[in-house]
Amino acid sequence: MSTTISVPPGLRNVVVTETTLGDVRGDEGFYHYRQYSAVDLAQSKTLEDVWFLLFEGHLPTAAERAKFIAELAPLRVLPEEVRAVLPAIAAAGPTINPLAGLRTALSLLAATKILPPLWDVDPARRKADAMLVCAVTPTILAALYRLREGQQPLDPRADLTAAASWLYLVTGKVPTDVEASAIEHYLIATVDHGFNASTFTARVITSTGADLVSAVAGAIGAFSGPLHGGAPDRALASLDEIGTPDRIDAWVRAKVEAGDRIMGFGHAVYRTDDPRSLMLREIARGPISHGPGGELVEFATTVEQRIVDVLAELKPGRNLYANVEFYAGVVMELCGIPRAMFTPTFAVSRVIGWSANILEQAADSKIIRPSAQYVGPPPPAPVE
């Protein structure tokens, strides 16, 4: 006798594991890493601090921070075997696809470094592999972009923070303190965010005992979708499409009537303002906008308010607000990051969260094996 299984769409509110890494409280507009508010961490700590927190379980002391940063420096440098094939990866296809290139390069890294199945190694080796993958990911992504643009990749600089180094590797310029701070806020705010699709993917693969890069590569594949990580550039493209304030209402109404999704608005969990969006809006309005970017910020805030108002009219009760992607695109644009690298910038931080989840999942020997409810024609049917 079969048992009927209730399956909510998208597995919404289905609890599949326990975690000590953090949570998202969507009704409150709040999320946290370990026991700390993620927004508070973004406003007061460095990316390296938060990275250490997720991997080690506590914020570092000054001595621990210095040791951690020193350990990261050599890991950011590309192995020669990987560096040699990056030009071919970068040249593949008619358009740039950094995330696809990252998957390919990381797979080669796993082969080069002989990354073993997580099932076969102890926690220390798992953590070492995670440190390597997180450290080298920005170097790979920036190198692929610069090669595609006909420029030579740059070597990581040990004198720069992780956030400043990312901007340098992509743009070729040492960022100002304001730019580095803005990007660091963004990177910290996007390190982790509950049991999202890519994190779940990483944990499912980890539960099979596969190697760490296999889990990260699977997460990258899930993350690349426009309904997950692949939307910051699309949100900014909406501003270009609208063009002027007098076109906002008509643009929104046309989108809703056509049944199109408005990128940068609404969220699967939040039923109030996305706290990441609120923080990034304030950053966009801050010193970074005191120049040519001021008009972009002013237009973005006008568009945001009108879209929220029109959506409230057309979709009453839905509580649709700007999400992290809307102002993420604005902040990255102001910091000089090209739009092709918006989603890769997101991946630079999220790989830390994926890896922390992989390390946690690897400690559990149970494979994730859910069930599906069959709704096809009743068997057995005769074979013709």
Side-chain angles (χ1 to χ4, degrees):
M1 179 178 178
S2 63
T3 302
T4 300
I5 304 171
S6 177
V7 185
L11 301 182
R12 182 169 178 80
N13 295 325
V14 173
V15 175
V16 297
T17 194
E18 295 181 340
T19 182
T20 63
L21 295 173
D23 193 22
V24 180
R25 306 206 302 244
D27 291 339
E28 302 173 38
F30 175 80
Y31 74 114
H32 57 100
Y33 305 152
R34 303 288 187 182
Q35 66 268 43
Y36 302 102
S37 159
V39 171
D40 286 351
L41 288 169
Q43 293 174 331
S44 62
K45 297 297 179 181
T46 67
L47 180 61
E48 289 86 346
D49 289 336
V50 174
W51 186 341
F52 186 97
L53 170 68
L54 288 183
F55 275 36
E56 302 296 340
H58 64 276
L59 286 169
T61 64
E64 288 173 328
R65 180 188 299 111
K67 180 182 177 183
F68 188 72
I69 291 172
E71 290 174 355
L72 287 176
L75 299 179
R76 290 175 175 165
V77 180
L78 284 173
E80 188 52 44
E81 298 92 333
V82 177
R83 180 188 291 272
V85 301
L86 288 185
I89 296 174
T95 58
I96 184 174
N97 192 341
L99 291 185
L102 175 63
R103 294 198 303 265
T104 303
L106 287 179
S107 293
L108 178 59
L109 176 74
T112 300
K113 295 293 185 179
I114 318 177
L115 266 61
L118 292 158
W119 178 262
D120 293 337
V121 293
D122 61 20
R125 175 60 195 269
R126 295 170 189 162
K127 189 175 294 182
D129 291 345
M131 288 280 285
L132 170 64
V133 170
C134 293
V136 81
T137 287
T139 311
I140 292 172
L141 285 168
L144 289 172
Y145 170 73
R146 289 183 66 84
L147 285 165
R148 187 79 189 202
E149 293 294 302
Q151 301 170 329
Q152 284 301 306
L154 298 171
D155 293 325
R157 286 179 43 169
D159 61 318
L160 297 177
T161 65
S165 177
W166 170 245
L167 282 169
Y168 167 72
L169 289 173
V170 173
T171 67
K173 299 183 298 182
V174 175
T176 66
D177 290 344
V178 169
E179 291 167 341
S181 175
I183 290 300
E184 184 156 62
H185 278 70
Y186 169 73
L187 292 174
I188 293 174
T190 53
V191 161
D192 193 51
H193 202 246
F195 231 65
N196 54 78
S198 57
T199 296
F200 184 40
T201 300
R203 293 189 72 132
V204 169
I205 296 172
T206 300
S207 78
T208 72
D211 67 276
L212 187 135
V213 162
S214 291
V216 169
I220 294 168
F223 184 75
S224 66
L227 300 187
H228 189 10
D233 56 324
R234 295 172 185 246
L236 200 59
S238 296
L239 297 180
D240 295 338
E241 190 176 333
I242 293 169
T244 56
D246 60 293
R247 289 171 43 86
I248 301 172
D249 288 25
W251 183 88
V252 177
R253 294 179 189 279
K255 286 285 186 181
V256 172
E257 290 173 5
D260 295 338
R261 181 183 293 269
I262 298 178
M263 292 300 186
F265 286 82
H267 193 273
V269 178
Y270 290 118
R271 295 297 172 264
T272 183
D273 287 300
D274 184 334
R276 300 168 299 176
S277 178
L278 295 179
M279 184 187 72
L280 291 173
R281 181 172 63 193
E282 291 310 304
I283 291 173
R285 287 172 166 172
I288 198 170
S289 67
H290 298 169
E295 292 183 3
L296 172 62
V297 176
E298 183 178 353
F299 183 51
T301 54
T302 299
V303 169
E304 178 202 9
Q305 188 57 59
R306 284 307 304 153
I307 288 180
V308 169
D309 291 345
V310 175
L311 288 176
E313 173 194 337
L314 299 178
K315 296 178 178 289
R318 289 285 302 275
N319 298 321
L320 298 171
Y321 302 96
N323 59 41
V324 65
E325 291 154 350
F326 186 76
Y327 281 105
V330 174
V331 169
M332 284 188 273
E333 183 102 335
L334 295 177
C335 289
I337 295 176
R339 294 190 187 187
M341 297 302 286
F342 281 9
T343 299
T345 301
F346 200 162
V348 163
S349 62
R350 187 53 61 86
V351 69
I352 298 171
W354 293 330
S355 295
N357 274 274
I358 289 167
L359 294 176
E360 185 176 65
Q361 185 66 45
D364 185 348
S365 62
K366 190 75 171 179
I367 190 171
I368 297 175
R369 175 59 169 88
S371 299
Q373 182 172 322
Y374 178 73
V375 295
V383 179
E384 299 178 356

